[in-house]
Amino acid sequence: MPCSLGETHENGLKPDTCRYNGRMHITLNGHPQDCADDLTVTQLLNEAGYAGRRVAVEVNHEIVPRSQHSAYALRNGDKVEIVHAIGGG
Amino acid sequence: MNIKTHDTTDTLVIAGKSYRSRLLTGTGKYKDLDETRRATLAAGAEIVTAAIRRVNLGQDPNAPNLLDALPPGEFTLLPNTAGCYNAVDAVRTCRLARELLDGHTLIKLEVLGDERTLFPDVVETLKAAEQLVADGFDVMVYTSDDPILAKKLEHIGCVAIMPLAAPIGSGLGIQNKYNLLEIVENAKVPVIVDAGVGTASDAAIAMELGCDGVLMNTAIAGAKDPVLMAHAMKLAVEAGHAAFRAGRIPRKRFASASSPIDGTIG
């Protein structure tokens, strides 16, 4: 599985796990990330460890339905949000 | 002797679905997910709220999460828009929730005004409610205790009106009986007190006023023994609702003897 997250994320994603040179920049959950060109949402979720987990993904404020994750290629400058449900009142 | 104390047709109906429990619970502020689940079960809650938040990248994605503790097959999840201060963010959050929960449309709309009071921003709430209803959501709306606004939200198409009894997390209890009463008497959709309850008697008072349910989080999660308080709240909501249905006696200024006067000796 290719890893394309090229910057150390402040929450702990490590640059040394990356095999690809980052060529594209995205913003993932508010943090800048380098990633491989044409990375799909499915590949991004795989790398972040969220493959098969119950999450929702939004790119540039638009929902990317689960059925489209594998076909949806990210583009330079995309703002990506991965969310889940947590305790709240 | 068969005393009918429970009417099985007496259910809380929200967006066409019937619920036996009139106590809705939040899932925040618990010590851990085990306590969350135990308190939720003790409350007998069928509808439980959840917040939608960014995943913590870099942390263990396989750590147990809320939906493992409270699976959507066992409970009706009520995603909220807590933390949203405008209609745009609230609508966006609801769309994420719908995607997250496979097309689920029941949501709790709350658009807050400021951090100090956590009072609703009613202008943004109305805006968001209109958009969400148009987009096919079943909107349970957190609002101020304003009867006029409650009516407007109902006319927009909200499926439940959820006025505060006091500020969120304050535990001050029912501060606005007459406003709540006015909202209850004029509503054709369920009215659920959302926010302000501190202890069991507060929940009972809300139900005695004729509210259709109570939603609470801090009053349970913040108690010394959350599971025991959840149990107390369950009893209080049931007791208050039964008392409302039974019809209380009118308040009188002077005494009225309980024993017959006729046949007294002397």
Side-chain angles (χ1 to χ4, degrees):
Chain A
M1 186 187 71
C3 173
S4 62
L5 301 177
E7 267 181 29
T8 303
H9 189 283
E10 70 179 37
N11 286 328
L13 288 178
K14 294 187 182 68
D16 60 3
T17 58
C18 293
R19 286 176 246 145
Y20 283 26
N21 289 324
R23 283 165 293 184
M24 193 167 79
H25 302 285
I26 62 169
T27 303
L28 178 57
N29 282 5
H31 299 284
Q33 300 281 352
D34 289 347
C35 68
D37 284 344
D38 300 326
L39 188 77
T40 66
V41 169
T42 296
Q43 288 168 333
L44 180 68
L45 290 174
N46 281 339
E47 289 181 16
Y50 283 90
R53 300 294 295 175
R54 193 185 274 273
V55 293
V57 178
E58 187 191 64
V59 177
N60 302 331
H61 292 212
E62 294 291 332
I63 301 286
V64 181
R66 208 163 286 143
S67 59
Q68 294 172 22
H69 284 185
S70 59
Y72 194 106
L74 295 170
R75 286 173 304 185
N76 197 38
D78 276 351
K79 289 184 167 51
V80 184
E81 299 284 348
I82 306 174
V83 303
H84 64 164
I86 63 163
Chain B
M1 194 171 61
N2 184 13
I3 302 170
K4 191 174 182 187
T5 56
H6 184 69
D7 180 353
T8 51
T9 64
D10 177 43
T11 55
L12 172 63
V13 180
I14 298 172
K17 189 173 172 191
S18 296
Y19 301 91
R20 290 181 313 281
S21 170
R22 292 175 180 274
L23 174 55
L24 295 72
T25 54
T27 56
K29 300 183 178 176
Y30 286 102
K31 170 178 85 180
D32 53 34
L33 288 172
D34 177 59
E35 186 179 74
T36 310
R37 180 169 174 82
R38 286 186 297 118
T40 306
L41 291 175
E46 294 171 274
I47 301 177
V48 294
T49 63
I52 305 299
R53 292 289 181 271
R54 287 170 167 167
V55 299
N56 292 319
L57 295 167
Q59 290 186 7
D60 179 12
N62 294 313
N65 69 25
L66 181 71
L67 300 186
D68 296 326
L70 302 173
E74 190 180 348
F75 297 91
T76 295
L77 266 291
L78 182 61
N80 68 26
T81 63
C84 292
Y85 285 83
N86 59 64
V88 172
D89 286 348
V91 170
R92 199 176 152 199
T93 301
C94 291
R95 288 180 177 151
L96 281 165
R98 181 167 60 186
E99 163 66 12
L100 184 72
L101 297 170
D102 306 317
H104 174 100
T105 54
L106 188 70
I107 53 101
K108 171 182 162 179
L109 171 63
E110 58 178 296
V111 186
L112 302 174
D114 68 39
E115 287 176 18
R116 181 177 138 80
T117 63
L118 298 180
F119 279 143
D121 181 327
V122 297
V123 176
E124 292 294 308
T125 299
L126 280 167
K127 238 191 272 181
E130 275 174 351
Q131 289 178 37
L132 289 167
V133 170
D135 199 5
F137 284 95
D138 295 316
V139 181
M140 299 176 70
V141 60
Y142 168 65
T143 181
S144 60
D145 56 353
D146 177 346
I148 309 302
L149 186 65
K151 206 70 206 162
K152 287 193 177 185
L153 288 163
E154 182 181 331
H155 285 156
I156 285 172
C158 292
V159 298
I161 306 299
M162 305 206 290
L164 54 83
I168 294 173
S170 69
L172 287 172
I174 314 297
Q175 295 297 305
N176 48 5
K177 274 189 192 177
Y178 296 100
N179 279 27
L180 288 179
L181 203 53
E182 186 66 17
I183 292 171
V184 166
E185 287 180 350
N186 286 302
K188 293 188 179 64
V189 296
V191 175
I192 294 167
V193 161
D194 179 5
V197 165
T199 188
S201 53
D202 299 332
I205 290 168
M207 297 307 292
E208 287 169 6
L209 289 170
C211 292
D212 298 281
V214 181
L215 197 169
M216 65 181 77
N217 191 154
T218 308
I220 296 175
K224 277 186 192 158
D225 184 339
V227 177
L228 186 57
M229 186 58 90
H231 174 67
M233 291 299 186
K234 176 181 192 283
L235 298 179
V237 167
E238 286 175 2
H241 184 59
F244 170 72
R245 286 175 55 224
R248 61 153 298 149
I249 60 163
R251 290 177 175 84
K252 284 176 295 199
R253 189 170 163 201
F254 299 107
S256 159
S258 299
S259 304
I261 304 297
D262 289 351
T264 48
I265 56 169

